[in-house]
PDB file of all heavy atoms in Angstrom:
ATOM      1  N   MET A 189      19.759 -11.714   4.911  1.00 86.00           N
ATOM      2  CA  MET A 189      18.816 -12.628   4.257  1.00 86.00           C
ATOM      3  C   MET A 189      19.441 -14.007   4.067  1.00 86.00           C
ATOM      4  O   MET A 189      18.761 -15.027   4.200  1.00 86.00           O
ATOM      5  CB  MET A 189      18.347 -12.055   2.926  1.00 86.00           C
ATOM      6  CG  MET A 189      17.269 -11.011   3.111  1.00 86.00           C
ATOM      7  SD  MET A 189      16.356 -10.646   1.611  1.00 86.00           S
ATOM      8  CE  MET A 189      17.485  -9.620   0.739  1.00 86.00           C
ATOM      9  N   ASP A 190      20.729 -14.042   3.771  1.00 85.00           N
ATOM     10  CA  ASP A 190      21.413 -15.333   3.642  1.00 85.00           C
ATOM     11  C   ASP A 190      21.424 -16.088   4.968  1.00 85.00           C
ATOM     12  O   ASP A 190      21.290 -17.315   4.997  1.00 85.00           O
ATOM     13  CB  ASP A 190      22.845 -15.142   3.143  1.00 85.00           C
ATOM     14  CG  ASP A 190      22.902 -14.605   1.719  1.00 85.00           C
ATOM     15  OD1 ASP A 190      21.886 -14.704   0.993  1.00 85.00           O
ATOM     16  OD2 ASP A 190      23.965 -14.080   1.335  1.00 85.00           O
ATOM     17  N   LEU A 191      21.568 -15.357   6.064  1.00 86.00           N
ATOM     18  CA  LEU A 191      21.602 -15.983   7.386  1.00 86.00           C
ATOM     19  C   LEU A 191      20.229 -16.461   7.855  1.00 86.00           C
ATOM     20  O   LEU A 191      20.128 -17.237   8.808  1.00 86.00           O
ATOM     21  CB  LEU A 191      22.183 -15.019   8.423  1.00 86.00           C
ATOM     22  CG  LEU A 191      23.687 -14.793   8.361  1.00 86.00           C
ATOM     23  CD1 LEU A 191      24.095 -13.691   9.332  1.00 86.00           C
ATOM     24  CD2 LEU A 191      24.436 -16.072   8.675  1.00 86.00           C
ATOM     25  N   LEU A 192      19.164 -16.013   7.190  1.00 85.00           N
ATOM     26  CA  LEU A 192      17.826 -16.478   7.565  1.00 85.00           C
ATOM     27  C   LEU A 192      17.641 -17.969   7.322  1.00 85.00           C
ATOM     28  O   LEU A 192      16.698 -18.566   7.818  1.00 85.00           O
ATOM     29  CB  LEU A 192      16.746 -15.695   6.804  1.00 85.00           C
ATOM     30  CG  LEU A 192      16.391 -14.330   7.371  1.00 85.00           C
ATOM     31  CD1 LEU A 192      15.439 -13.606   6.443  1.00 85.00           C
ATOM     32  CD2 LEU A 192      15.802 -14.446   8.762  1.00 85.00           C
ATOM     33  N   GLN A 193      18.537 -18.572   6.574  1.00 82.00           N
ATOM     34  CA  GLN A 193      18.477 -20.013   6.311  1.00 82.00           C
ATOM     35  C   GLN A 193      19.035 -20.819   7.480  1.00 82.00           C
ATOM     36  O   GLN A 193      18.973 -22.042   7.474  1.00 82.00           O
ATOM     37  CB  GLN A 193      19.269 -20.356   5.042  1.00 82.00           C
ATOM     38  CG  GLN A 193      18.905 -19.546   3.824  1.00 82.00           C
ATOM     39  CD  GLN A 193      17.445 -19.672   3.444  1.00 82.00           C
ATOM     40  OE1 GLN A 193      16.866 -20.746   3.536  1.00 82.00           O
ATOM     41  NE2 GLN A 193      16.850 -18.579   3.031  1.00 82.00           N
ATOM     42  N   ASP A 194      19.597 -20.153   8.480  1.00 79.00           N
ATOM     43  CA  ASP A 194      20.210 -20.818   9.633  1.00 79.00           C
ATOM     44  C   ASP A 194      19.173 -21.666  10.368  1.00 79.00           C
ATOM     45  O   ASP A 194      18.004 -21.297  10.469  1.00 79.00           O
ATOM     46  CB  ASP A 194      20.791 -19.760  10.582  1.00 79.00           C
ATOM     47  CG  ASP A 194      21.786 -20.348  11.562  1.00 79.00           C
ATOM     48  OD1 ASP A 194      21.400 -21.228  12.345  1.00 79.00           O
ATOM     49  OD2 ASP A 194      22.952 -19.922  11.541  1.00 79.00           O
ATOM     50  N   ALA A 195      19.602 -22.793  10.867  1.00 77.00           N
ATOM     51  CA  ALA A 195      18.703 -23.702  11.590  1.00 77.00           C
ATOM     52  C   ALA A 195      18.427 -23.223  13.017  1.00 77.00           C
ATOM     53  O   ALA A 195      17.467 -23.663  13.643  1.00 77.00           O
ATOM     54  CB  ALA A 195      19.303 -25.104  11.627  1.00 77.00           C
ATOM     55  N   ASP A 196      19.265 -22.324  13.531  1.00 82.00           N
ATOM     56  CA  ASP A 196      19.123 -21.827  14.894  1.00 82.00           C
ATOM     57  C   ASP A 196      17.991 -20.799  14.959  1.00 82.00           C
ATOM     58  O   ASP A 196      18.070 -19.728  14.361  1.00 82.00           O
ATOM     59  CB  ASP A 196      20.444 -21.204  15.345  1.00 82.00           C
ATOM     60  CG  ASP A 196      20.438 -20.781  16.800  1.00 82.00           C
ATOM     61  OD1 ASP A 196      19.384 -20.866  17.451  1.00 82.00           O
ATOM     62  OD2 ASP A 196      21.507 -20.368  17.287  1.00 82.00           O
ATOM     63  N   GLY A 197      16.931 -21.134  15.683  1.00 85.00           N
ATOM     64  CA  GLY A 197      15.771 -20.252  15.793  1.00 85.00           C
ATOM     65  C   GLY A 197      16.093 -18.914  16.417  1.00 85.00           C
ATOM     66  O   GLY A 197      15.511 -17.893  16.056  1.00 85.00           O
ATOM     67  N   GLU A 198      17.034 -18.900  17.371  1.00 89.00           N
ATOM     68  CA  GLU A 198      17.401 -17.638  18.017  1.00 89.00           C
ATOM     69  C   GLU A 198      18.075 -16.692  17.023  1.00 89.00           C
ATOM     70  O   GLU A 198      17.791 -15.495  17.006  1.00 89.00           O
ATOM     71  CB  GLU A 198      18.333 -17.895  19.199  1.00 89.00           C
ATOM     72  CG  GLU A 198      18.679 -16.635  19.960  1.00 89.00           C
ATOM     73  CD  GLU A 198      19.617 -16.879  21.128  1.00 89.00           C
ATOM     74  OE1 GLU A 198      19.828 -18.042  21.508  1.00 89.00           O
ATOM     75  OE2 GLU A 198      20.158 -15.885  21.647  1.00 89.00           O
ATOM     76  N   VAL A 199      18.946 -17.223  16.176  1.00 89.00           N
ATOM     77  CA  VAL A 199      19.616 -16.412  15.156  1.00 89.00           C
ATOM     78  C   VAL A 199      18.586 -15.828  14.191  1.00 89.00           C
ATOM     79  O   VAL A 199      18.609 -14.642  13.874  1.00 89.00           O
ATOM     80  CB  VAL A 199      20.677 -17.256  14.390  1.00 89.00           C
ATOM     81  CG1 VAL A 199      21.151 -16.559  13.146  1.00 89.00           C
ATOM     82  CG2 VAL A 199      21.847 -17.572  15.300  1.00 89.00           C
ATOM     83  N   VAL A 200      17.662 -16.661  13.746  1.00 91.00           N
ATOM     84  CA  VAL A 200      16.631 -16.208  12.807  1.00 91.00           C
ATOM     85  C   VAL A 200      15.751 -15.141  13.461  1.00 91.00           C
ATOM     86  O   VAL A 200      15.432 -14.130  12.843  1.00 91.00           O
ATOM     87  CB  VAL A 200      15.789 -17.402  12.299  1.00 91.00           C
ATOM     88  CG1 VAL A 200      14.625 -16.934  11.448  1.00 91.00           C
ATOM     89  CG2 VAL A 200      16.669 -18.362  11.508  1.00 91.00           C
ATOM     90  N   ALA A 201      15.368 -15.337  14.714  1.00 93.00           N
ATOM     91  CA  ALA A 201      14.536 -14.361  15.425  1.00 93.00           C
ATOM     92  C   ALA A 201      15.264 -13.020  15.562  1.00 93.00           C
ATOM     93  O   ALA A 201      14.654 -11.955  15.404  1.00 93.00           O
ATOM     94  CB  ALA A 201      14.143 -14.893  16.800  1.00 93.00           C
ATOM     95  N   LEU A 202      16.563 -13.061  15.829  1.00 90.00           N
ATOM     96  CA  LEU A 202      17.337 -11.821  15.934  1.00 90.00           C
ATOM     97  C   LEU A 202      17.387 -11.092  14.591  1.00 90.00           C
ATOM     98  O   LEU A 202      17.238  -9.867  14.533  1.00 90.00           O
ATOM     99  CB  LEU A 202      18.750 -12.117  16.432  1.00 90.00           C
ATOM    100  CG  LEU A 202      18.871 -12.506  17.909  1.00 90.00           C
ATOM    101  CD1 LEU A 202      20.257 -13.066  18.212  1.00 90.00           C
ATOM    102  CD2 LEU A 202      18.564 -11.322  18.801  1.00 90.00           C
ATOM    103  N   ILE A 203      17.567 -11.828  13.514  1.00 91.00           N
ATOM    104  CA  ILE A 203      17.604 -11.213  12.180  1.00 91.00           C
ATOM    105  C   ILE A 203      16.257 -10.581  11.854  1.00 91.00           C
ATOM    106  O   ILE A 203      16.192  -9.452  11.352  1.00 91.00           O
ATOM    107  CB  ILE A 203      17.995 -12.252  11.107  1.00 91.00           C
ATOM    108  CG1 ILE A 203      19.425 -12.730  11.340  1.00 91.00           C
ATOM    109  CG2 ILE A 203      17.854 -11.663   9.707  1.00 91.00           C
ATOM    110  CD1 ILE A 203      19.803 -13.960  10.540  1.00 91.00           C
ATOM    111  N   LEU A 204      15.178 -11.294  12.125  1.00 92.00           N
ATOM    112  CA  LEU A 204      13.844 -10.751  11.872  1.00 92.00           C
ATOM    113  C   LEU A 204      13.614  -9.488  12.702  1.00 92.00           C
ATOM    114  O   LEU A 204      13.010  -8.522  12.222  1.00 92.00           O
ATOM    115  CB  LEU A 204      12.787 -11.809  12.178  1.00 92.00           C
ATOM    116  CG  LEU A 204      12.781 -13.027  11.245  1.00 92.00           C
ATOM    117  CD1 LEU A 204      11.821 -14.089  11.774  1.00 92.00           C
ATOM    118  CD2 LEU A 204      12.459 -12.651   9.816  1.00 92.00           C
ATOM    119  N   SER A 205      14.115  -9.471  13.928  1.00 92.00           N
ATOM    120  CA  SER A 205      13.993  -8.281  14.777  1.00 92.00           C
ATOM    121  C   SER A 205      14.759  -7.101  14.200  1.00 92.00           C
ATOM    122  O   SER A 205      14.286  -5.962  14.254  1.00 92.00           O
ATOM    123  CB  SER A 205      14.493  -8.583  16.188  1.00 92.00           C
ATOM    124  OG  SER A 205      13.697  -9.561  16.795  1.00 92.00           O
ATOM    125  N   VAL A 206      15.930  -7.369  13.635  1.00 89.00           N
ATOM    126  CA  VAL A 206      16.709  -6.298  12.993  1.00 89.00           C
ATOM    127  C   VAL A 206      15.907  -5.702  11.839  1.00 89.00           C
ATOM    128  O   VAL A 206      15.780  -4.477  11.714  1.00 89.00           O
ATOM    129  CB  VAL A 206      18.078  -6.814  12.493  1.00 89.00           C
ATOM    130  CG1 VAL A 206      18.761  -5.788  11.595  1.00 89.00           C
ATOM    131  CG2 VAL A 206      18.982  -7.169  13.657  1.00 89.00           C
ATOM    132  N   PHE A 207      15.345  -6.569  10.997  1.00 89.00           N
ATOM    133  CA  PHE A 207      14.547  -6.078   9.866  1.00 89.00           C
ATOM    134  C   PHE A 207      13.329  -5.286  10.343  1.00 89.00           C
ATOM    135  O   PHE A 207      13.012  -4.229   9.790  1.00 89.00           O
ATOM    136  CB  PHE A 207      14.092  -7.236   8.977  1.00 89.00           C
ATOM    137  CG  PHE A 207      15.151  -7.745   8.045  1.00 89.00           C
ATOM    138  CD1 PHE A 207      15.385  -9.108   7.935  1.00 89.00           C
ATOM    139  CD2 PHE A 207      15.904  -6.887   7.254  1.00 89.00           C
ATOM    140  CE1 PHE A 207      16.345  -9.596   7.066  1.00 89.00           C
ATOM    141  CE2 PHE A 207      16.871  -7.358   6.388  1.00 89.00           C
ATOM    142  CZ  PHE A 207      17.092  -8.711   6.288  1.00 89.00           C
ATOM    143  N   LEU A 208      12.641  -5.782  11.362  1.00 89.00           N
ATOM    144  CA  LEU A 208      11.466  -5.074  11.869  1.00 89.00           C
ATOM    145  C   LEU A 208      11.844  -3.720  12.458  1.00 89.00           C
ATOM    146  O   LEU A 208      11.148  -2.731  12.231  1.00 89.00           O
ATOM    147  CB  LEU A 208      10.739  -5.931  12.904  1.00 89.00           C
ATOM    148  CG  LEU A 208       9.904  -7.068  12.322  1.00 89.00           C
ATOM    149  CD1 LEU A 208       9.502  -8.054  13.405  1.00 89.00           C
ATOM    150  CD2 LEU A 208       8.680  -6.521  11.614  1.00 89.00           C
ATOM    151  N   ASN A 209      12.943  -3.676  13.204  1.00 85.00           N
ATOM    152  CA  ASN A 209      13.401  -2.393  13.760  1.00 85.00           C
ATOM    153  C   ASN A 209      13.756  -1.420  12.653  1.00 85.00           C
ATOM    154  O   ASN A 209      13.495  -0.219  12.753  1.00 85.00           O
ATOM    155  CB  ASN A 209      14.616  -2.591  14.673  1.00 85.00           C
ATOM    156  CG  ASN A 209      14.252  -3.233  15.983  1.00 85.00           C
ATOM    157  OD1 ASN A 209      13.095  -3.282  16.372  1.00 85.00           O
ATOM    158  ND2 ASN A 209      15.248  -3.753  16.671  1.00 85.00           N
ATOM    159  N   GLU A 210      14.358  -1.928  11.609  1.00 83.00           N
ATOM    160  CA  GLU A 210      14.766  -1.076  10.498  1.00 83.00           C
ATOM    161  C   GLU A 210      13.549  -0.478   9.781  1.00 83.00           C
ATOM    162  O   GLU A 210      13.600   0.642   9.287  1.00 83.00           O
ATOM    163  CB  GLU A 210      15.598  -1.888   9.509  1.00 83.00           C
ATOM    164  CG  GLU A 210      16.212  -1.061   8.428  1.00 83.00           C
ATOM    165  CD  GLU A 210      16.993  -1.902   7.439  1.00 83.00           C
ATOM    166  OE1 GLU A 210      17.266  -3.082   7.706  1.00 83.00           O
ATOM    167  OE2 GLU A 210      17.309  -1.357   6.384  1.00 83.00           O
ATOM    168  N   LEU A 211      12.448  -1.216   9.753  1.00 81.00           N
ATOM    169  CA  LEU A 211      11.253  -0.747   9.065  1.00 81.00           C
ATOM    170  C   LEU A 211      10.392   0.180   9.914  1.00 81.00           C
ATOM    171  O   LEU A 211       9.504   0.844   9.389  1.00 81.00           O
ATOM    172  CB  LEU A 211      10.405  -1.933   8.604  1.00 81.00           C
ATOM    173  CG  LEU A 211      11.019  -2.799   7.516  1.00 81.00           C
ATOM    174  CD1 LEU A 211      10.110  -3.973   7.202  1.00 81.00           C
ATOM    175  CD2 LEU A 211      11.304  -2.004   6.258  1.00 81.00           C
ATOM    176  N   GLN A 212      10.639   0.223  11.223  1.00 76.00           N
ATOM    177  CA  GLN A 212       9.867   1.097  12.104  1.00 76.00           C
ATOM    178  C   GLN A 212      10.075   2.549  11.705  1.00 76.00           C
ATOM    179  O   GLN A 212      11.185   2.975  11.426  1.00 76.00           O
ATOM    180  CB  GLN A 212      10.273   0.917  13.570  1.00 76.00           C
ATOM    181  CG  GLN A 212       9.966  -0.420  14.131  1.00 76.00           C
ATOM    182  CD  GLN A 212       8.481  -0.704  14.242  1.00 76.00           C
ATOM    183  OE1 GLN A 212       7.628   0.073  13.849  1.00 76.00           O
ATOM    184  NE2 GLN A 212       8.162  -1.856  14.782  1.00 76.00           N
ATOM    185  N   ASP A 213       9.011   3.297  11.696  1.00 60.00           N
ATOM    186  CA  ASP A 213       9.063   4.734  11.397  1.00 60.00           C
ATOM    187  C   ASP A 213       9.795   5.025  10.095  1.00 60.00           C
ATOM    188  O   ASP A 213      10.501   6.023   9.979  1.00 60.00           O
ATOM    189  CB  ASP A 213       9.733   5.512  12.544  1.00 60.00           C
ATOM    190  CG  ASP A 213       9.044   5.264  13.868  1.00 60.00           C
ATOM    191  OD1 ASP A 213       7.806   5.179  13.862  1.00 60.00           O
ATOM    192  OD2 ASP A 213       9.738   5.145  14.875  1.00 60.00           O
ATOM    193  N   ARG A 214       9.643   4.161   9.127  1.00 62.00           N
ATOM    194  CA  ARG A 214      10.335   4.342   7.861  1.00 62.00           C
ATOM    195  C   ARG A 214       9.421   5.052   6.880  1.00 62.00           C
ATOM    196  O   ARG A 214       8.311   4.600   6.616  1.00 62.00           O
ATOM    197  CB  ARG A 214      10.749   2.983   7.310  1.00 62.00           C
ATOM    198  CG  ARG A 214      11.579   3.088   6.071  1.00 62.00           C
ATOM    199  CD  ARG A 214      12.097   1.734   5.703  1.00 62.00           C
ATOM    200  NE  ARG A 214      12.826   1.861   4.458  1.00 62.00           N
ATOM    201  CZ  ARG A 214      13.420   0.877   3.865  1.00 62.00           C
ATOM    202  NH1 ARG A 214      13.389  -0.315   4.395  1.00 62.00           N
ATOM    203  NH2 ARG A 214      14.049   1.058   2.741  1.00 62.00           N
ATOM    204  N   ALA A 215       9.893   6.151   6.326  1.00 58.00           N
ATOM    205  CA  ALA A 215       9.090   6.927   5.385  1.00 58.00           C
ATOM    206  C   ALA A 215       9.304   6.451   3.946  1.00 58.00           C
ATOM    207  O   ALA A 215       8.430   6.600   3.109  1.00 58.00           O
ATOM    208  CB  ALA A 215       9.448   8.402   5.498  1.00 58.00           C
ATOM    209  N   THR A 216      10.461   5.883   3.672  1.00 57.00           N
ATOM    210  CA  THR A 216      10.739   5.450   2.309  1.00 57.00           C
ATOM    211  C   THR A 216      10.140   4.083   2.042  1.00 57.00           C
ATOM    212  O   THR A 216       9.983   3.266   2.937  1.00 57.00           O
ATOM    213  CB  THR A 216      12.256   5.380   2.045  1.00 57.00           C
ATOM    214  OG1 THR A 216      12.840   4.495   3.002  1.00 57.00           O
ATOM    215  CG2 THR A 216      12.898   6.736   2.147  1.00 57.00           C
ATOM    216  N   LEU A 217       9.819   3.844   0.797  1.00 60.00           N
ATOM    217  CA  LEU A 217       9.218   2.581   0.395  1.00 60.00           C
ATOM    218  C   LEU A 217      10.292   1.581   0.008  1.00 60.00           C
ATOM    219  O   LEU A 217      11.418   1.946  -0.305  1.00 60.00           O
ATOM    220  CB  LEU A 217       8.262   2.814  -0.775  1.00 60.00           C
ATOM    221  CG  LEU A 217       7.094   3.746  -0.477  1.00 60.00           C
ATOM    222  CD1 LEU A 217       6.312   4.029  -1.737  1.00 60.00           C
ATOM    223  CD2 LEU A 217       6.202   3.167   0.595  1.00 60.00           C
ATOM    224  N   ILE A 218       9.923   0.310   0.001  1.00 68.00           N
ATOM    225  CA  ILE A 218      10.852  -0.768  -0.338  1.00 68.00           C
ATOM    226  C   ILE A 218      10.732  -1.057  -1.822  1.00 68.00           C
ATOM    227  O   ILE A 218       9.631  -1.119  -2.365  1.00 68.00           O
ATOM    228  CB  ILE A 218      10.531  -2.027   0.480  1.00 68.00           C
ATOM    229  CG1 ILE A 218      10.691  -1.747   1.963  1.00 68.00           C
ATOM    230  CG2 ILE A 218      11.400  -3.189   0.061  1.00 68.00           C
ATOM    231  CD1 ILE A 218      10.238  -2.871   2.853  1.00 68.00           C
ATOM    232  N   SER A 219      11.865  -1.271  -2.465  1.00 67.00           N
ATOM    233  CA  SER A 219      11.838  -1.590  -3.890  1.00 67.00           C
ATOM    234  C   SER A 219      11.253  -2.976  -4.109  1.00 67.00           C
ATOM    235  O   SER A 219      11.335  -3.853  -3.252  1.00 67.00           O
ATOM    236  CB  SER A 219      13.244  -1.511  -4.482  1.00 67.00           C
ATOM    237  OG  SER A 219      14.038  -2.554  -3.983  1.00 67.00           O
ATOM    238  N   SER A 220      10.699  -3.174  -5.279  1.00 66.00           N
ATOM    239  CA  SER A 220      10.055  -4.448  -5.604  1.00 66.00           C
ATOM    240  C   SER A 220      11.011  -5.635  -5.547  1.00 66.00           C
ATOM    241  O   SER A 220      10.660  -6.672  -4.989  1.00 66.00           O
ATOM    242  CB  SER A 220       9.408  -4.344  -6.980  1.00 66.00           C
ATOM    243  OG  SER A 220       8.833  -5.549  -7.341  1.00 66.00           O
ATOM    244  N   PRO A 221      12.244  -5.538  -6.104  1.00 74.00           N
ATOM    245  CA  PRO A 221      13.139  -6.699  -6.025  1.00 74.00           C
ATOM    246  C   PRO A 221      13.494  -7.095  -4.591  1.00 74.00           C
ATOM    247  O   PRO A 221      13.526  -8.278  -4.262  1.00 74.00           O
ATOM    248  CB  PRO A 221      14.389  -6.253  -6.791  1.00 74.00           C
ATOM    249  CG  PRO A 221      13.947  -5.137  -7.662  1.00 74.00           C
ATOM    250  CD  PRO A 221      12.811  -4.485  -6.937  1.00 74.00           C
ATOM    251  N   THR A 222      13.718  -6.110  -3.743  1.00 76.00           N
ATOM    252  CA  THR A 222      14.047  -6.404  -2.345  1.00 76.00           C
ATOM    253  C   THR A 222      12.845  -7.029  -1.644  1.00 76.00           C
ATOM    254  O   THR A 222      12.987  -7.998  -0.894  1.00 76.00           O
ATOM    255  CB  THR A 222      14.474  -5.122  -1.609  1.00 76.00           C
ATOM    256  OG1 THR A 222      15.580  -4.547  -2.294  1.00 76.00           O
ATOM    257  CG2 THR A 222      14.855  -5.399  -0.176  1.00 76.00           C
ATOM    258  N   ALA A 223      11.671  -6.481  -1.881  1.00 77.00           N
ATOM    259  CA  ALA A 223      10.461  -7.022  -1.254  1.00 77.00           C
ATOM    260  C   ALA A 223      10.208  -8.454  -1.718  1.00 77.00           C
ATOM    261  O   ALA A 223       9.865  -9.317  -0.912  1.00 77.00           O
ATOM    262  CB  ALA A 223       9.266  -6.131  -1.590  1.00 77.00           C
ATOM    263  N   LEU A 224      10.384  -8.711  -3.003  1.00 78.00           N
ATOM    264  CA  LEU A 224      10.168 -10.061  -3.521  1.00 78.00           C
ATOM    265  C   LEU A 224      11.167 -11.045  -2.917  1.00 78.00           C
ATOM    266  O   LEU A 224      10.800 -12.151  -2.511  1.00 78.00           O
ATOM    267  CB  LEU A 224      10.275 -10.063  -5.045  1.00 78.00           C
ATOM    268  CG  LEU A 224       9.997 -11.391  -5.732  1.00 78.00           C
ATOM    269  CD1 LEU A 224       8.607 -11.882  -5.403  1.00 78.00           C
ATOM    270  CD2 LEU A 224      10.164 -11.260  -7.232  1.00 78.00           C
ATOM    271  N   GLN A 225      12.417 -10.621  -2.822  1.00 82.00           N
ATOM    272  CA  GLN A 225      13.450 -11.478  -2.237  1.00 82.00           C
ATOM    273  C   GLN A 225      13.137 -11.775  -0.769  1.00 82.00           C
ATOM    274  O   GLN A 225      13.248 -12.915  -0.316  1.00 82.00           O
ATOM    275  CB  GLN A 225      14.799 -10.785  -2.381  1.00 82.00           C
ATOM    276  CG  GLN A 225      15.978 -11.679  -2.237  1.00 82.00           C
ATOM    277  CD  GLN A 225      17.280 -10.934  -2.530  1.00 82.00           C
ATOM    278  OE1 GLN A 225      17.320  -9.714  -2.642  1.00 82.00           O
ATOM    279  NE2 GLN A 225      18.351 -11.676  -2.629  1.00 82.00           N
ATOM    280  N   LEU A 226      12.737 -10.754  -0.030  1.00 82.00           N
ATOM    281  CA  LEU A 226      12.385 -10.962   1.378  1.00 82.00           C
ATOM    282  C   LEU A 226      11.161 -11.866   1.513  1.00 82.00           C
ATOM    283  O   LEU A 226      11.126 -12.754   2.368  1.00 82.00           O
ATOM    284  CB  LEU A 226      12.097  -9.616   2.038  1.00 82.00           C
ATOM    285  CG  LEU A 226      13.179  -9.054   2.926  1.00 82.00           C
ATOM    286  CD1 LEU A 226      12.829  -7.658   3.379  1.00 82.00           C
ATOM    287  CD2 LEU A 226      13.503  -9.929   4.090  1.00 82.00           C
TER     288      LEU A 226
END
């Protein structure tokens, strides 16, 4: 999340892809503080 502030669009796109992959087929829910921060 700290690296999402990077000016490089490719870096940001890779980070977003990591988060999206992590959420795929996820049965557990996200906590409110983490969701708010994201």
Side-chain angles (χ1 to χ4, degrees):
M189 281 197 283
D190 294 342
L191 286 173
L192 279 174
Q193 308 302 321
D194 197 299
D196 186 354
E198 184 181 348
V199 167
V200 174
L202 288 168
I203 295 167
L204 293 172
S205 296
V206 169
F207 281 133
L208 283 166
N209 287 344
E210 188 182 347
L211 293 177
Q212 295 293 3
D213 304 321
R214 185 172 177 179
T216 57
L217 299 173
I218 298 173
S219 69
S220 178
T222 303
L224 183 59
Q225 198 174 11
L226 257 173

